[in-house]
Amino acid sequence: MLKKLKENGRTVFQLLYTAVTNGYIYGFFGGKIFKGKTKGFCVPGLNCYSCPGALGSCPLGSFQAVLSDRKFKFAFYVAGILMFFGAVFGRFVCGWLCPFGLVQDLLYKIPFPKKLRKLPGDKWLKYLKYVIFAVFVVLLPLTVLDIIGQGSPWFCKYICPSGTLFGALPLFAADEGIRGAAGGLFGWKTAVLVFLVLLSVVVYRPFCRYLCPLGAVYSVFNPIAFYRYKVDADKCTKCGKCQKACKMDIKVYEKPNDPECIRCGDCVKACPYGAICPSVKLKKKKSEEKQK
Amino acid sequence: MSMKNFIKSNLPAIAVVLLAVVFMAVGAWRGEIAVVLKKAVNICLECIGIG
Ligand code: SF4
Ligand code: SF4
Ligand code: SF4
C-alpha cells in the first residue's frame, strides 16, 4: 500500500492540490462559482475561474481580462505573478500544480495498443504554443475591440479545453438556464476538448507540448528557475535510461533544463547512478555540473 | 550550499523575482486586481463557450 502510494506520489499530490484549490464544493451542486476575495490572486496552473469549485483565478484568463480591458494596454499584475511562479518553479507547475496537466496524465494511463513518443512534426509543432500565446493571448485581445473599446479573451473563447472541461461541463450539468444558452461556439469548444482527450490517450500531454500558452511562458523560465536540474558529469555514463523513462522524450543528460521538461521526476528515479538531481541538492565540490 | 553560492548560482531567478514583485505592485496600484476579481467572480461566458 505504502509502496503503491510512493510510486504514484505525484498523482496523489496533483489530486490533492486540485481538490484543495477547487474546494468550493457547493458550487458544483448549485451551478454557481465562488465569489470570494481569493479570486483576486492567480493560482499557478491552468485552472479555470469559471470552474464552480475554483478558489483562485486562472493566470491566463486574468492576463487576457486585463489586456482586453479598455483602460489597460499591459497586464503588470498578472505578468508579475507569472514571472514569480516562473522564476521559482519553472515548469514544475506543469508537472505538479496544474489540473489540466493532471487530466492528461490520467488519460495517458489508459491502455492503448500503440502509444506514440511524440507527434510527427514534433520538432516544429512544439513552437505552436508560443505562436498561440503571442496571437490569442496578447495580440487579439489587445487589438480586436468592440465599439466601446473592449476586447475579448480569444484563447479562452476559441481554444481553451480547460474552460470547457472544468467550467462549462459542471455548470451545464447543474444549471438548465446556462445549458439552454449553448450554441455553435460551445460545439466547437467541445470538439477541441474531445480531440485533445482522445489524443492524450495516445501521446503524452499533447496540449502541454504543442498548444498551452501557459506552458510556453513557464518553459522560458526552466533554465533559470530556482527549481532546476543538474547532471553530475562524474556520475553520468550517458546510458540514456533517463531519456527512455522520460515521457516528454528529453535527452536529460544533455539538456537537464530543456524548456519541455515538466519536472515530473521520472528521469531522476530512472538513473541508476543518481546523476540527475535538483540543483539545490547537488554538492558543488563533487561535480563538474552541466547546466544548459 | 552557502548563502553566497546560492545567490551566485541563482542570480537570474532572484532578479526576475524582484522584477515580478515590482510588476505586481505597479499592477495593483493601477487597479488591475479589481479587473481580475471582477472577471473571476462572474461566470466567464467566453470560457464556457457561450459568449
Ligand atoms: S477558459 Fe482557459 S484560459 Fe480562460 S480562464 Fe478558463 S482555464 Fe483559464
Ligand atoms: S502546459 Fe499548460 S495545461 Fe499543461 S500542465 Fe502546463 S500550464 Fe497546465
Ligand atoms: S522525465 Fe525528467 S526530463 Fe522528462 S519531463 Fe520528467 S523530469 Fe523532465
Side-chain angles (χ1 to χ4, degrees):
Chain A
M1 169 82 178
L2 208 68
K3 199 175 156 220
K4 203 135 190 121
L5 210 68
K6 215 176 156 194
E7 268 168 24
N8 294 300
R10 187 167 68 92
T11 309
V12 173
F13 184 91
Q14 286 170 293
L15 285 167
L16 283 176
Y17 172 83
T18 301
V20 169
T21 49
N22 292 278
Y24 184 60
I25 309 281
Y26 172 75
F28 290 99
F29 297 105
K32 304 254 180 305
I33 61 167
F34 181 67
K35 290 185 181 292
K37 288 263 189 296
T38 50
K39 277 198 155 171
F41 194 76
C42 299
V43 288
L46 193 69
N47 195 143
C48 195
Y49 39 36
S50 284
C51 169
L55 300 174
S57 279
C58 166
L60 217 48
S62 305
F63 194 70
Q64 293 167 86
V66 178
L67 282 190
S68 57
D69 190 292
R70 62 195 169 132
K71 292 200 293 288
F72 301 109
K73 288 278 165 267
F74 188 71
F76 280 98
Y77 174 62
V78 188
I81 292 178
L82 287 173
M83 284 157 65
F84 179 83
F85 286 138
V88 175
F89 298 116
R91 284 192 89 177
F92 176 87
V93 171
C94 298
W96 296 76
L97 307 172
C98 177
F100 202 70
L102 165 67
V103 169
Q104 292 169 88
D105 279 357
L106 296 176
L107 286 167
Y108 192 71
K109 287 183 194 283
I110 297 172
F112 188 77
K114 193 164 168 26
K115 300 257 182 194
L116 296 177
R117 291 286 282 171
K118 51 180 124 178
L119 282 185
D122 168 275
K123 210 170 126 192
W124 303 107
L125 275 178
K126 67 183 181 192
Y127 295 111
L128 190 56
K129 56 184 176 290
Y130 301 98
V131 176
I132 292 177
F133 176 79
V135 177
F136 284 83
V137 178
V138 180
L139 272 181
L140 292 172
L142 259 182
T143 54
V144 182
L145 310 174
D146 62 14
I147 43 169
I148 59 160
Q150 189 75 24
S152 45
W154 283 69
F155 176 75
C156 299
K157 194 169 176 177
Y158 295 105
I159 301 177
C160 187
S162 174
T164 316
L165 181 65
F166 293 114
L169 296 187
L171 287 174
F172 281 29
D175 190 308
E176 208 177 312
I178 302 178
R179 199 159 56 233
L185 183 60
F186 177 69
W188 161 252
K189 284 202 63 174
T190 308
V192 173
L193 174 66
V194 170
F195 174 71
L196 285 166
V197 163
L198 295 176
L199 197 60
S200 301
V201 178
V202 185
V203 192
Y204 185 62
R205 290 202 182 211
F207 179 71
C208 304
R209 284 169 127 160
Y210 307 121
L211 302 175
C212 182
L214 195 53
V217 171
Y218 291 140
S219 75
V220 173
F221 293 98
N222 248 8
I224 62 126
F226 285 111
Y227 190 81
R228 55 188 193 273
Y229 283 175
K230 285 181 179 177
V231 171
D232 189 330
D234 293 342
K235 293 179 182 168
C236 177
T237 62
K238 296 191 169 49
C239 66
K241 286 199 172 130
C242 50
Q243 186 179 5
K244 218 165 153 203
C246 175
K247 295 201 264 310
M248 303 293 271
D249 199 29
I250 294 165
K251 250 189 193 167
V252 192
Y253 54 92
E254 281 188 0
K255 231 177 163 192
N257 295 307
D258 190 289
E260 301 303 318
C261 170
I262 57 164
R263 306 305 189 203
C264 69
D266 287 353
C267 55
V268 179
K269 281 191 228 154
C271 177
Y273 310 103
I276 310 163
C277 53
S279 53
V280 278
K281 276 189 187 165
L282 195 71
K283 289 208 178 73
K284 241 190 155 181
K285 256 203 299 192
K286 276 193 191 166
S287 64
E288 185 196 289
E289 80 265 1
K290 283 180 196 154
Q291 226 185 309
K292 286 182 189 168
Chain B
M1 192 187 276
S2 74
M3 192 50 141
K4 209 171 142 197
N5 274 346
F6 177 81
I7 292 173
K8 221 171 116 189
S9 60
N10 289 294
L11 263 184
I14 292 168
V16 175
V17 164
L18 293 177
L19 194 64
V21 172
V22 173
F23 268 43
M24 284 190 261
V26 170
W29 175 72
R30 296 197 329 156
E32 294 174 14
I33 300 179
V35 178
V36 171
L37 195 59
K38 189 171 160 217
K39 183 77 182 170
V41 298
N42 294 294
I43 291 175
C44 161
L45 297 180
E46 295 93 344
C47 305
I48 64 169
I50 59 178

